[in-house]
Amino acid sequence: MTISEKLHAVGRPLLEAQLAHPTVAGIGRGDLPEPVFRSWLEQDYLYLLDYVRVFAKLAWQAPDAHVGDLVDLAHSTYHEELDLHRSLSAEFGADLEGAVKGPACVAYTSFLLESAGSYGEGLAALYPCMWGYSTLGRILAENPPAEPRYRAWVDTYADPGFAALAERIAQMIDETDVDPDRAEAMFTEGMAHELAFWDVP
C-alpha cells in the first residue's frame, strides 16, 4: 500500500463526518441558509489565498520534476477556484475583501504555512483539502442539488480536472522520502481542520 492509499483509508471516516456535517449536507440538498454559505465563502476565500502561498513555499523546495506541478496548482487555485468564489460572492452578498479570518481559518492556515517548512510533510498536510473536496464533489454530484448556485459549487469540485490535480498531489507524496507515520499525522491533523472549517463563524 502506498502512502497516499494509506492516507485515503485513514481519511475516509473523517470524510464521512464531513458529508454528515449540516453545512455540507445543506449544500448537497441545495437548501443551506444563505448567511451560512456567505460566511463559509468569505472564510474559504481567505483560506485559499494562503493555500496559494503554501503551494509557492513548497514549489521552492520541490524536486525539478514537480516544480511545474506546484506552480500549476497555485495557478489553478488562484485563477479557477478563487474565480468561483468571486462569482458566487455577488450572488450571496459576500464581502470577500472586507472579510476577517475566523478562528478555524486562522488555525488551519497557520498549520499549513508552518507545515510547508518541510516538503513531504507540507504535501501531506495540504492533501486533505484537495482529496477531500474532490471526493465530496464526486459524491454530491451523484445526486446534485437543483439550486443553481450550489450546483455550481458541486460541479466545480466534481470536475475530473480537479480530481486530476488531487491525484498529482498523491503522486508527489508517494515520491517523497517523508516518514509514513509523519505523513499520516499531518494528514490526520489536516482532515480535522477540514471538518472544523465547516463550522463557519
Side-chain angles (χ1 to χ4, degrees):
M1 182 181 287
T2 65
I3 294 176
S4 64
E5 289 171 341
K6 178 67 181 300
L7 298 184
H8 297 163
V10 169
R12 191 69 200 196
L14 295 166
L15 188 74
E16 295 293 338
Q18 290 188 57
L19 280 168
H21 192 284
T23 301
V24 179
I27 292 172
R29 293 189 305 268
D31 63 3
L32 182 70
E34 288 195 12
V36 177
F37 190 78
R38 179 166 58 246
S39 181
W40 175 86
L41 194 64
E42 291 171 349
Q43 293 300 300
D44 202 54
Y45 180 81
L46 296 174
Y47 165 86
L48 288 172
L49 289 173
D50 278 343
Y51 203 55
V52 171
R53 293 182 174 97
V54 170
F55 282 131
K57 193 172 180 179
L58 292 174
W60 186 83
Q61 306 170 64
D64 292 348
H66 289 307
V67 172
D69 291 302
L70 288 159
V71 171
D72 287 348
L73 286 160
H75 184 276
S76 174
T77 301
Y78 191 82
H79 290 285
E80 295 173 21
E81 199 169 355
L82 282 173
D83 276 353
L84 170 72
H85 289 55
R86 295 182 187 106
S87 66
L88 289 174
S89 66
E91 299 184 42
F92 284 92
D95 181 11
L96 300 183
E97 301 307 322
V100 177
K101 288 181 183 178
C105 186
V106 170
Y108 196 1
T109 56
S110 297
F111 162 70
L112 289 175
L113 288 164
E114 181 177 351
S115 300
S118 166
Y119 178 67
E121 292 185 11
L123 289 173
L126 67 81
Y127 188 50
C129 184
M130 297 292 297
W131 175 73
Y133 274 64
S134 175
T135 309
L136 289 174
R138 178 176 51 78
I139 292 171
L140 293 177
E142 294 172 1
N143 184 26
E147 209 283 341
R149 297 171 300 176
Y150 293 129
R151 176 64 182 263
W153 188 95
V154 170
D155 287 347
T156 294
Y157 294 109
D159 188 279
F162 190 80
L165 295 177
E167 289 168 7
R168 287 163 76 179
I169 293 290
Q171 178 187 358
M172 284 188 276
I173 292 171
D174 291 336
E175 291 178 5
T176 68
D177 59 358
V178 65
D179 177 83
D181 291 337
R182 285 297 298 160
E184 182 177 333
M186 302 304 282
F187 177 82
T188 302
E189 186 169 348
M191 287 295 292
H193 281 294
E194 283 288 316
L195 181 59
F197 202 89
W198 293 112
D199 293 326
V200 291

